[in-house]
């Protein structure tokens, strides 16, 4: 029996695939659970229409995301951290710190999309990729500088 898959099934096929399966598998599993529809001319036309509409919507979304990615890539972020004698940081710069710094500059980014392999533990400049979409990656330059300590007046006795 020929069916059109309504979702991706491991070992069977991907969403929208036209596949030939055993009659029992289709009648007892795929069709009752709405994981597939029988492939007749009506369902083929309906699915092609839905596929075209989804492709157009995805294209619009991708253009909007690319515009936002350019805006994010234009931002350069400077984070002040306390550092020791060898310019080793007390603590580290994490995705949360980067997301908060971007938010302070008016750029909203979900911190889970920031692709930081490991926390930044040294002073310097690092390029951090931000995955905006599966095809769109923005890069933010993060400059970690030593926090300037306020000079305390020395108490002389």
């Amino acid at each position: 029996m020929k069916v059109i898959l309504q979702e991706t099934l491991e070992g069977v096929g991907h969403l929208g695939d036209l596949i030939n399966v055993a009659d029992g598998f289709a009648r007892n599993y795929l069709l009752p659970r709405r994981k597939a529809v029988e492939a007749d001319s009506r369902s083929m036309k309906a699915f092609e229409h839905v596929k075209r509409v989804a492709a157009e919507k995805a294209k619009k979304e991708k253009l909007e995301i690319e515009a936002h990615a350019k805006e994010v890539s234009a931002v350069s972020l400077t984070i002040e951290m306390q550092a020791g004698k060898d310019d080793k940081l007390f603590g580290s710069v994490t995705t949360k710190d980067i997301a908060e710094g971007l938010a302070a500059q008016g750029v909203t980014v979900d911190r889970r999309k920031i692709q930081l392999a490991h926390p930044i533990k040294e002073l310097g400049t690092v390029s951090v990729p931000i995955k905006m979409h599966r095809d769109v990656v923005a890069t933010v330059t993060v400059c970690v500088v030593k926090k300037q300590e306020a000079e305390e007046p020395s108490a002389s006795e």
Side-chain angles (χ1 to χ4, degrees), residues 2-157:
K2 289 192 176 215
V3 294
I4 301 171
L5 291 179
Q6 298 291 321
E7 61 183 72
T8 301
L9 296 173
E10 191 73 29
V12 178
H14 297 285
L15 171 74
D17 285 351
L18 175 67
I19 59 172
N20 196 13
V21 295
D23 291 349
F25 182 56
R27 276 195 314 267
N28 296 325
Y29 181 73
L30 295 175
L31 298 176
R33 289 179 173 82
R34 300 193 194 285
K35 295 185 182 291
V37 293
E38 194 170 347
D40 55 6
S41 62
R42 183 177 179 200
S43 62
M44 293 286 284
K45 286 179 184 175
F47 186 74
E48 287 300 321
H49 175 69
V50 168
K51 201 174 183 181
R52 270 195 312 276
V53 170
E56 290 174 14
K57 183 178 177 185
K59 188 175 179 181
K60 275 186 186 176
E61 281 183 5
K62 187 176 177 186
L63 289 174
E64 290 175 8
I65 291 171
E66 285 175 346
H68 184 64
K70 284 183 182 178
E71 178 184 316
V72 170
S73 293
V75 173
S76 180
L77 186 61
T78 302
I79 298 178
E80 290 186 350
M81 295 287 291
Q82 286 186 337
K85 293 179 182 177
D86 297 330
D87 290 341
K88 293 284 186 183
L89 296 181
F90 296 134
S92 60
V93 178
T94 62
T95 57
K96 181 181 176 190
D97 299 324
I98 295 170
E100 288 174 355
L102 289 172
Q105 292 190 7
V107 179
T108 57
V109 173
D110 185 7
R111 69 180 179 89
R112 293 176 295 231
K113 294 186 179 195
I114 299 173
Q115 304 287 309
L116 192 60
H118 47 81
I120 303 169
K121 296 184 179 188
E122 296 176 352
L123 296 179
T125 304
V126 179
S127 293
V128 179
I130 300 174
K131 189 170 187 175
M132 308 295 276
H133 184 264
R134 73 175 168 216
D135 299 331
V136 181
V137 177
T139 304
V140 174
T141 304
V142 177
C143 185
V144 182
V145 295
K146 191 172 189 176
K147 186 180 259 186
Q148 298 298 323
E149 300 169 5
E151 305 223 355
E152 298 178 19
S154 57
S156 46
E157 291 180 30

